Amino acid sequence: MKKPIRILLIDDDVDFVKATTKVLQSKPYEVVVAHDGKEGLEKARSEKPDLVLLDILMPKVDGFGVAEQFKKDQSLSKIPVLALTSFSDSYGQPFAFEVSDFIQKPVSPKDLLAKVEKHLERLS
Amino acid sequence: MARHEVFHTLGLRRKLLASRLLQPFMLFGIGALFVYAFALDDAALLGVPAMTCLLVGSMRGPFTGGNEAEWVRHLEKLLRSERDRLMGILDSLEEGVVIIGQDRVIRFMNPSMTKDFGDGVGIRCHKHLRGLEEPCTGVCKLPDVLRGATERWESRLPDGRIYEIISSPFADADQTPCMLAAFRNVTREKQIEIELMELNQLKSDLLSERTKELEQISKDVAKLKEEKRRIIRFLSVITHDLRAPLSATQSCLWAIMGGYAGAVTDEQKDLLERSTRRIDGLFALIADLLDIPRIEAGQLVNEMEEISFNEVVERSVDSIEGLAKKKNLTLDVDLPAVSPKICGSGRRLQQVVTNLLGNALNYTEEGTILVRATDAEDELRVEVLDSGVGIPPLELPRLFQDFFRGSNVKSDGTGLGLSLSRRIVEAHGGKIWAESPCPEIGRGSKFTFTLPKRAVSSPTAEPGIASDKVRRNQA
């Protein structure tokens, strides 16, 4: 049996996580959840996800910090990271870090699935 | 007494007489020259009186024991010429020279002194030089000079003239101790000195004043910057805190609406759509509300860059093209052949054009909407014309105020669109206004905004971007 696709969702908003998980589970994705940046990094190393959905404003380590660690860590640097952004987060200043893509919050299910699929396809 | 002895005594007497006659002149001359040399601060001149001494001494030598009468005549001639020479020097001296006796009576004044003070020989010095009945108290140097001191000082006369005076002890022709004084008028020098000092004082006063002002300004600027940072930090926090729950709610509603949490009936879908529309409205209101202080805090400056002006208009047109098509309206776009490059916030200017186009669309049921940009000499001008319902004249002046809603309003906008547009245009140094009915169409309205060229670089020809009179017909 083919190994299921594993998506790590790092976001501190439980309601947002619940809704997004529902949407992602409509596809054959296994969703792993982390509620802050620190937990996100730990789970990224232990669960070896195929793709990461990353919130920006989070307690402990924020999205910027997580993205930086992903770039530094050779075992993680190949994993696509999609940043979940509120327009206000980037107000007046472009993001100072590199991620594979941005997804605007609130997340439209269609946009989310399309972008996730696009980046997973690139992997295979 | 032998003849030669008598002769010798006579000669000695005459010699004594001669030296007595000569001495005052010598001293006078030497004294004057010393004074002169001092006054001129020229050490080289100190040699002149010394030379005179030697000269007089050596000339006396050859006549010792010669013909008496001839010697006396010669001596007289010598004295006369020496005296004439010294008087000539004194006459031509620019400095005033005065001799004052111990009784304070002026015994001699050279022409320069007379010219400055008037002839005062025989008059007491304090009376003549200062107009005082009693000797000058505190400033009189006579007692010190008579005791042998040379004094150098400055004296300001009651009429304001300032003299630099050098006084030396001097024995007059009758051997009485006197004071020889040289007066040099330094009024002009002192005035210049005082003016210079005053100027320097003024300069340093001005400098310290400016420095204080600058310090205050930099303090104020630092305070304002801190205040601005505080506002922006505060806004970022409330923006996040206001948006996060809405964002989660919207995501949940969209997930339900999309059927990701089970099947949804049409009725449920209708209610969910209403909910999400209201949330969209709230998002727009939050964005607009927070934009106002952001723009007022001057944050737009951070967003300014060189942008292609035509692109701004075209992007706005693109965003509402679909709606115009839906309403069967003609949307005309008229842009400069060469896109002017401007320094501004593309996103914000696009917000303005989109807002104006959105309003035109909302209030126009049939006809045309025209967006026209012109690259004038000193400004860029954007006009949005519509053939819609227009604006009542009384409402025109209040159109750009916060939360103003006209009587014709039927859309559920935030009421901040035009006031935000005004702030954005003003932050670019431009102006915005409305006319209704539109002068060209005779109905509807016309909104115009300008961007001054001072913040705008000269348009560079870019044939690739050029789009001459683009016309988009959706009808």
Side-chain angles (χ1 to χ4, degrees), chain B residues 158-195:
Chain B
D159 63 8
R161 281 181 293 169
I162 303 165
Y163 281 87
E164 187 184 71
I165 305 167
I166 301 163
S167 301
S168 319
F170 177 77
D172 206 357
D174 58 3
Q175 292 299 297
T176 51
C178 290
M179 177 171 86
L180 175 76
F183 279 59
R184 192 161 74 91
N185 192 336
V186 292
T187 315
R188 185 79 201 113
E189 285 165 38
K190 289 286 150 187
Q191 268 171 357
I192 290 169
E193 218 170 87
I194 289 164
E195 277 165 23

Side-chain angles (χ1 to χ4, degrees), chain A:
Chain A
M1 204 182 109
K2 204 186 158 197
K3 186 177 154 271
I5 290 160
R6 191 171 285 174
I7 294 173
L8 172 60
L9 173 58
I10 312 172
D11 198 305
D12 62 320
D13 189 321
V14 287
D15 300 321
F16 176 82
V17 165
K18 182 89 181 171
T20 309
T21 308
K22 279 272 172 225
V23 172
L24 290 170
Q25 281 170 344
S26 70
K27 300 280 172 186
Y29 303 146
E30 191 186 308
V31 182
V32 179
V33 176
H35 293 99
D36 59 61
K38 194 167 163 276
E39 191 190 346
L41 278 168
E42 283 161 11
K43 289 209 168 154
R45 287 184 181 115
S46 61
E47 306 284 331
K48 305 260 182 272
D50 298 288
L51 183 138
V52 175
L53 291 169
L54 175 66
D55 186 28
I56 304 297
L57 288 173
M58 284 187 298
K60 292 179 189 172
V61 184
D62 67 8
F64 300 98
V66 174
E68 212 181 291
Q69 289 297 316
F70 265 73
K71 276 203 87 181
K72 277 188 196 162
D73 192 327
Q74 278 206 329
S75 66
L76 304 177
S77 60
K78 293 273 180 346
I79 304 172
V81 176
L82 311 188
L84 300 161
T85 65
S86 287
F87 191 40
S88 57
D89 295 343
S90 64
Y91 233 102
Q93 49 183 37
F95 284 110
F97 70 112
E98 280 176 50
V99 288
S100 310
D101 212 337
F102 295 95
I103 298 173
Q104 179 76 39
K105 269 182 168 185
V107 180
S108 128
K110 272 185 193 168
D111 277 2
L112 173 71
L113 293 175
K115 280 196 174 160
V116 167
E117 254 169 64
K118 192 177 96 185
H119 286 279
L120 286 173
E121 261 169 36
R122 277 190 193 169
L123 283 178
S124 54

Side-chain angles (χ1 to χ4, degrees), chain B residues 445-465:
Chain B
S445 53
K446 177 180 171 185
F447 284 79
T448 309
F449 74 86
T450 61
L451 299 169
K453 277 269 178 81
R454 62 174 168 77
V456 173
S457 57
S458 61
T460 43
E462 269 188 50
I465 295 170

